[in-house]
Amino acid sequence: MGEFMTETQQNPSPAVEEPPHQGPAPVGQEGPPDGQEAAVILEEARISVDPELRRAVASLPDSMRRVVRYHFGWEHADGTPAAGNAGKAIRPALVLTAAEALGGQRTTAVRAAAAVELVHNFTLLHDDVMDRDTTRRHRPTAWTVFGDADAVLAGDSLQALAHRLLADDPHPASSAAAARLADCVVELCAGQHTDTEMERRGPDDITLDEVLAMAEAKTGALLGCACALGALYAGADITDVEALDAFGREAGLAFQFIDDVIGIWGDPRCTGKPAGADLMARKKSLPVVAALASGTPAGAELAELYRVPYRDGDLERTVLAVERAGGRDWAQLQAADRMARALDHLCRAVPDPEAAGGLLSLAEFVTRRST
């Protein structure tokens, strides 16, 4: 299991945060031409991994299979075929691209890529139940259609399928990959526990260090694991495996910063989620905690709002308080800083810019996204 970050925020006030020297563009800004390269990589990963996912899901009992197929967008709630897909395939793309960057063959890492995607969707099913989220990928979440119990059990089945894929994989790296993925799942669960525990605490009781550690465990850990599994399947030495894990973790944190910004300021027509849902639920996302820690009048106003349940009409005031306290700017600057750290780790493991190009394109894609 990877360790949590050791860096600390010496001055939590977003107003005095120094901008980094390099990094991704702000949310919504058009990315560079190599954004097309990321789109190609993601599409190729989806084409490679989907058959493995479908074979694994087909092995489930019908009661679990119908929930999973709905969650992946393959079927409607009544079991009729749907034209959806299982998401952007960022994590399996990282597995396959990391394997290739270190001299391995993408085709040998497909099962590992599918296993990572299964674990990711296990967490989504469970998170939606715990967070009471009602929409994902522009559709009602699985628990709202099939109930809490079926959604939780479907998530459990996906985690089991992930480990079975690696257990049945004849590749020599499969055993080490299975152990690493199991450790990652434990870290994911610990991060989710911290997240839910923090929601029961007051707005003045959460520190930036805590929320950053939680974000690494919940988001960075799996992206880091995906990159590490690709390195393992390429036969890389442990130094390069750990460097790619660190690359994925930092890119994952950048992803989470941007995702939290989108959760507040994103367009629901693009995101598929209600605008400001996290604020209405009084979730302590990264921009919110930064705003609460800013020491500004707007931060104090936000704390007052967060001390009571959401009331109709409070959303615009809450959004403005987060922004005026510097939460949005801080999160975008932090995303850029984490991206710069990710690139440092990537350069150590893959010094050849051409070989590292695919991973760089994916990292830039997740931190330049607006949906």
Side-chain angles (χ1 to χ4, degrees):
M1 181 186 301
E3 296 179 350
F4 288 110
M5 290 179 297
T6 56
E7 296 91 345
T8 58
Q9 180 84 12
Q10 297 299 320
N11 187 340
S13 172
V16 297
E17 181 76 26
E18 290 296 326
H21 296 293
Q22 58 177 318
V27 172
Q29 180 169 316
E30 185 178 355
D34 66 359
Q36 297 177 356
E37 180 184 355
V40 171
I41 292 170
L42 292 168
E43 179 61 20
E44 290 176 347
R46 175 57 64 205
I47 292 170
S48 297
V49 170
D50 257 2
E52 197 70 51
L53 289 177
R54 289 179 180 270
R55 277 193 293 271
V57 171
S59 71
L60 292 173
D62 180 66
S63 57
M64 297 297 95
R65 187 168 62 245
R66 67 190 185 103
V67 181
V68 171
R69 291 182 65 82
Y70 171 83
H71 168 74
F72 278 151
W74 301 338
E75 290 182 356
H76 297 295
D78 62 3
T80 56
N85 60 50
K88 293 182 175 69
I90 292 169
R91 291 153 192 83
L94 286 171
V95 176
L96 300 177
T97 308
E100 190 172 49
L102 286 167
Q105 297 295 318
R106 293 169 58 92
T107 54
T108 66
V110 170
R111 282 192 182 180
V116 170
E117 186 72 344
L118 289 168
V119 164
H120 173 54
N121 281 277
F122 138 69
T123 68
L124 296 183
L125 282 161
H126 282 203
D127 284 0
D128 285 345
V129 173
M130 287 183 274
D131 296 342
R132 311 314 286 172
D133 285 337
T134 58
T135 306
R136 181 173 293 281
R137 298 171 185 151
H138 305 275
R139 312 170 83 205
T141 46
W143 72 268
T144 67
V145 176
F146 300 100
D148 289 4
D150 281 5
V152 169
L153 292 170
D156 292 341
S157 72
L158 291 186
Q159 185 189 167
L161 285 180
H163 294 295
R164 190 176 73 188
L165 277 180
L166 293 178
D168 291 343
D169 192 350
H171 194 283
S174 62
S175 178
R180 198 169 193 107
L181 187 60
D183 284 345
C184 179
V185 169
V186 173
E187 188 173 356
L188 290 168
C189 292
Q192 178 66 11
H193 176 270
T194 301
D195 189 19
T196 55
E197 189 272 334
M198 286 196 305
E199 296 311 310
R200 297 191 291 268
R201 291 156 60 184
D204 300 321
D205 296 333
I206 308 297
T207 69
L208 278 173
D209 288 340
E210 285 180 298
V211 77
L212 286 167
M214 179 271 293
E216 180 178 356
K218 281 193 63 177
T219 304
L222 189 55
L223 268 69
C225 183
C227 295
L229 262 58
L232 286 170
Y233 271 69
D237 62 35
I238 190 61
T239 301
D240 288 343
V241 171
E242 295 299 340
L244 278 192
D245 185 286
F247 159 74
R249 283 175 179 269
E250 295 291 358
L253 274 170
F255 174 97
Q256 190 60 57
F257 277 111
I258 297 304
D259 199 59
D260 283 356
V261 169
I262 290 170
I264 299 174
W265 292 279
D267 185 342
R269 292 172 298 180
C270 298
T271 65
K273 296 181 180 181
D278 285 354
L279 296 181
M280 290 186 280
R282 299 305 191 229
K283 289 188 69 66
K284 300 174 183 71
S285 63
L286 290 159
V288 166
V289 175
L292 290 169
S294 67
T296 63
E301 178 185 3
L302 180 64
E304 288 300 317
L305 288 166
Y306 258 59
R307 288 191 184 99
V308 297
Y310 173 77
R311 295 168 295 196
D312 287 343
D314 275 355
L315 181 57
E316 183 177 358
R317 183 183 169 197
T318 308
V319 171
L320 286 173
V322 178
E323 186 151 15
R324 288 170 179 165
R328 184 178 189 172
D329 289 343
W330 178 85
Q332 289 183 321
L333 290 171
Q334 283 291 312
D337 179 58
R338 295 295 175 172
M339 180 65 166
R341 298 188 198 192
L343 299 186
D344 286 342
H345 292 298
L346 178 59
C347 287
R348 285 202 297 273
V350 191
D352 178 5
E354 184 174 352
L359 287 171
L360 175 59
S361 294
L362 289 173
E364 290 186 337
F365 170 81
V366 301
T367 53
R368 290 176 184 265
R369 57 195 279 272
S370 59
T371 62

